[in-house]
Each structure stands twice: as C-alpha cells, then as structure tokens.
C-alpha cells in the first residue's frame, strides 16, 4: 500500500551543488503533542493535519514519514502490502496517539512532511557536516529522504588480487530524518563499477548516534573517526586476499543470510552464477556488482552487507 506515497528526489551532486540545494530548501519544524496530529487519506494521497498555535496546518506526507512512524513501533515493512489505504491511515493515527514522548517534532521539507522525531532526537544537520568536511576531498554527495552520504577520496588504491584494482576512500553517512546514525566507513570500489562496499572497523568510534549525551562535540568525534578509519587500508587488503582463497562454506546458508536483507528473489539473482566451488571473493564481487543496479536505499543496504560479509571472514 506504500504505492500511494512518494519519496523526495534522489540526488548525487558535487559538494558545492549540494550546498546550494540545501540552502534553497524550505525547512520547517513543528513541535506539538501527538494528539494534535492526524493523518487522512484524500485524492489518492496521505495528508497530515497539525493543530499548531491555534490554527490548522495541512501538508502532504512523504513515504519517509510513514516509514519512520512504523519504525518507531517496530512494524515490519514486509507487512505493508497487507494493509489497504484506510487501514494504513487508521494504524498510523493509532500509533500517533500512543506515542509517549512529548512533544514530538514534525519535520517539513518544501511543504511536505518527511519525518517525525522525539524530544530526545539530536539533529546533526548536513549543512554543519559540509563545513567540517571542507578540509577533505569530497568527490560527491548523495542525498534522499532517508540519508545523506559523503564520498571522500584518499588517493589510495588496493590490489589484493592481480588485475583487481580497488580505490580506497571514506564514506560519511548521516540522516537528518533519523533513519541512520552519523557513521564513518572505509569505502572500497572497483574501478570497473560505480559501486562498492562499506567496511566498518568494529569500533565505537565510527558511529555517532542522534540520541544521548556527548563527551565531546560531534565535530571532534567525526574528525577523530575519519583519521582512525584511514588505518584500515592494509587490513582490508589482507581480508580481500583471504576471501579469494576460501570456498563458500554453504551456499544455501549464504543465500538465506543475504535474503534477510534483500528478499529471496534478489538473493537468488545474486547467487545465480555461483556454486559451492566459488570463492567468497567471487561472492563478494557479485554482491558489489548487483548493488550498482539498485536505488539509493537498497544500494546502501547491499554495500553495508558486502562490507559486513568481508568483515565476518577476517
């Protein structure tokens, strides 16, 4: 039933183009109690009505707002298809009146509701990140309603296997809408593809949450994490080399693990050219290759999975 909801634009721009885009957005935040918010279905769209300072305000709702509210109550996305339009809106309104965190904030972008956050949410704006990252070589910035992703070049390469050359960089992922913590990853990509793998260092330093107290400013945490991430180069190269020497242990198990991220149809598609005679490195490359065919959200999931896949066999 989410086909009645729309996402905002998916962008990949230079850092200067993204600065201009962010500066030209119309941003508004309305803090109120949940009982002052109601969702309605009208003209094949979902709208939000907010009682704000004595007047009613009426806005269209983007898909991300609905996803965030369902996520708040741990509703499984696989169940969306079973809800008709009236049930969808009814469930959302029931969720709103059961929110215990008061007040909540409805975030609007260009006069559309894009997310809802609790009083404990600490926003880290993309604009603030732009200023911090100016000292690094940011090649591009990707943005949608769910996350913003900064691609930082390091000028370093990895060749774990003869003939397979990877570029090595850093990715910063943030979410102004609360779908992702501020996270720092090593990012490797094959020169023949426009996609790659996000590799975590398994340390707390590479993730800054949007909730809770801070020991230092997030800018200090971020810079420390980026510098720490640069130490991953040799470890990743060794791990890739090790994957090339190891056969897939159980192809059914690997397909099942991946299906929990992508669904079984996509998992079968990725594994169609693999067998138990294939190496883990070949499996890793198939996951990377498939991710370039997908959109921003799914590509992020696949690239994170590829990185976790690499990490699990260190």
């Amino acid at each position: 039933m989410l086909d009645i909801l729309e996402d905002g634009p998916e962008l990949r721009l230079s850092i200067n183009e993204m600065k201009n885009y962010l500066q030209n957005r119309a941003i508004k935040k309305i803090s109120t109690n949940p009982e002052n918010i109601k969702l309605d279905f009208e003209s094949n769209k979902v709208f939000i009505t907010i009682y704000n300072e004595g007047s009613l305000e009426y806005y269209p709702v983007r898909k991300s707002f609905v996803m965030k509210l369902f996520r708040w109550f741990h509703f499984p996305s696989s169940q969306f298809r079973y809800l008709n339009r009236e049930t969808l809106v009814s469930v959302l309104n029931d969720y709103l009146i059961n929110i215990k965190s008061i007040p909540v904030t409805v975030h609007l972008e260009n006069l559309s509701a894009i997310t809802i956050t609790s009083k404990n949410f600490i926003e880290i704006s993309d604009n603030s990140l732009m200023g911090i990252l100016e000292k690094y070589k940011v090649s591009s910035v990707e943005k949608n309603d769910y996350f913003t992703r900064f691609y930082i070049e390091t000028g370093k390469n990895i060749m774990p296997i003869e003939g397979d050359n990877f570029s090595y960089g850093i990715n910063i992922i943030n979410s102004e809408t609360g779908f992702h913590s501020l996270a720092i990853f090593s990012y490797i990509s094959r020169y023949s593809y426009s996609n790659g793998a996000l590799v975590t260092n398994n340390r707390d330093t590479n993730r800054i949450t949007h909730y809770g107290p801070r020991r230092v400013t997030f800018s200090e945490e971020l810079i420390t994490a980026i510098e720490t991430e640069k130490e991953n180069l040799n470890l990743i190269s060794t791990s890739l080399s090790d994957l090339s020497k190891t056969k897939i242990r159980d192809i059914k198990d690997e397909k099942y693990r991946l299906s929990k991220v992508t669904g079984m149809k996509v998992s079968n598609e990725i594994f169609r050219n693999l067998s138990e005679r294939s190496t883990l490195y070949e499996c890793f490359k198939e996951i990377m290759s498939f991710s370039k065919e997908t959109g921003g959200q799914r590509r992020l999931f696949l690239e994170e999975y590829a990185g976790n896949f690499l990490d699990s066999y260190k």
Side-chain angles (χ1 to χ4, degrees):
M1 237 351 95
L2 290 182
D3 58 339
I4 63 174
L5 297 160
E6 296 180 351
D7 280 320
E10 286 205 3
L11 305 170
R12 186 158 181 177
L13 305 171
S14 71
I15 191 166
N16 287 329
E17 289 171 331
M18 187 59 73
K19 282 180 182 178
N20 291 333
Y21 173 79
L22 294 177
Q23 289 169 359
N24 290 321
R25 290 184 302 172
I27 298 295
K28 184 176 181 179
K29 299 171 188 175
I30 302 174
S31 292
T32 187
N33 291 342
E35 61 263 29
N36 294 330
I37 304 171
K38 185 182 178 185
L39 295 169
D40 294 291
F41 179 73
E42 183 180 317
S43 302
N44 211 34
K45 292 183 180 295
V46 178
F47 290 87
I48 187 171
T49 302
I50 307 171
Y51 183 73
N52 181 36
E53 298 180 350
S55 63
L56 292 176
E57 300 188 25
Y58 192 59
Y59 304 99
V61 169
R62 286 194 198 161
K63 184 177 178 180
S64 55
F65 182 95
V66 172
M67 296 291 282
K68 182 62 187 300
L69 194 50
F70 275 132
R71 179 174 172 152
W72 197 316
F73 287 89
H74 308 288
F75 188 93
S77 59
S78 60
Q79 301 300 305
F80 286 140
R81 67 181 185 273
Y82 299 118
L83 303 180
N84 62 38
R85 295 166 182 178
E86 290 73 22
T87 302
L88 173 67
V89 170
S90 178
V91 170
L92 291 170
N93 283 321
D94 284 344
Y95 279 167
L96 281 168
I97 63 175
N98 280 284
I99 291 176
K100 305 303 181 187
S101 176
I102 298 174
V104 295
T105 300
V106 176
H107 299 245
L108 305 168
E109 180 183 273
N110 298 331
L111 299 179
S112 293
I114 60 170
T115 194
I116 181 170
T117 57
S118 78
K119 63 181 180 181
N120 299 316
F121 180 74
I122 303 171
E123 182 175 337
I124 299 173
S125 73
D126 294 333
N127 271 324
S128 64
L129 290 175
M130 293 281 191
I132 297 167
L133 297 177
E134 282 181 342
K135 63 182 288 187
Y136 299 99
K137 188 177 180 180
V138 179
S139 59
S140 63
V141 185
E142 182 180 352
K143 184 170 181 60
N144 54 45
D145 285 346
Y146 305 92
F147 64 87
T148 306
R149 186 173 178 181
F150 299 83
Y151 292 80
I152 298 175
E153 294 180 0
T154 65
K156 297 179 180 179
N157 300 318
I158 301 173
M159 191 180 287
I161 310 297
E162 187 67 32
D164 261 356
N165 203 10
F166 292 79
S167 66
Y168 176 77
I170 305 292
N171 269 199
I172 313 295
I173 297 175
N174 184 45
S175 176
E176 295 180 320
T177 49
F179 285 89
H180 206 290
S181 58
L182 175 60
I184 300 90
F185 296 92
S186 295
Y187 183 70
I188 58 172
S189 59
R190 297 178 71 199
Y191 282 104
S192 55
Y193 297 148
S194 59
N195 58 295
L198 291 159
V199 186
T200 178
N201 60 23
N202 283 333
R203 292 188 291 268
D204 291 338
T205 55
N206 82 321
R207 195 170 292 271
I208 303 169
T209 68
H210 291 276
Y211 298 88
R214 304 207 184 287
R215 295 185 299 275
V216 295
T217 66
F218 84 85
S219 60
E220 292 174 302
E221 287 186 87
L222 178 60
I223 291 170
T224 299
I226 292 171
E227 296 306 318
T228 302
E229 204 65 37
K230 291 179 180 179
E231 300 170 5
N232 267 0
L233 181 66
N234 291 334
L235 181 60
I236 290 172
S237 182
T238 300
S239 297
L240 286 168
S241 180
D242 290 344
L243 288 185
S244 70
K245 303 168 188 173
T246 310
K247 301 292 184 184
I248 297 176
R249 296 168 186 166
D250 184 334
I251 197 164
K252 289 183 179 179
D253 181 59
E254 293 294 348
K255 285 171 68 173
Y256 175 72
R257 287 204 305 146
L258 182 58
S259 73
K260 290 193 288 185
V261 177
T262 65
M264 188 54 74
K265 182 178 179 180
V266 171
S267 182
N268 284 335
E269 178 71 12
I270 291 172
F271 276 86
R272 74 187 188 281
N273 295 322
L274 299 172
S275 69
E276 297 201 354
R277 293 189 298 274
S278 303
T279 65
L280 292 172
Y281 183 68
E282 291 171 313
C283 183
F284 173 76
K285 289 198 297 182
E286 286 292 333
I287 295 169
M288 288 178 62
S289 176
F290 191 86
S291 70
K292 71 178 179 179
E293 308 295 337
T294 62
Q297 271 271 76
R298 177 169 280 184
R299 186 173 71 252
L300 178 66
F301 291 149
L302 281 169
E303 291 188 343
E304 284 189 295
Y305 184 87
N308 290 334
F309 179 87
L310 172 64
D311 189 63
S312 66
Y313 289 99
K314 284 180 182 177

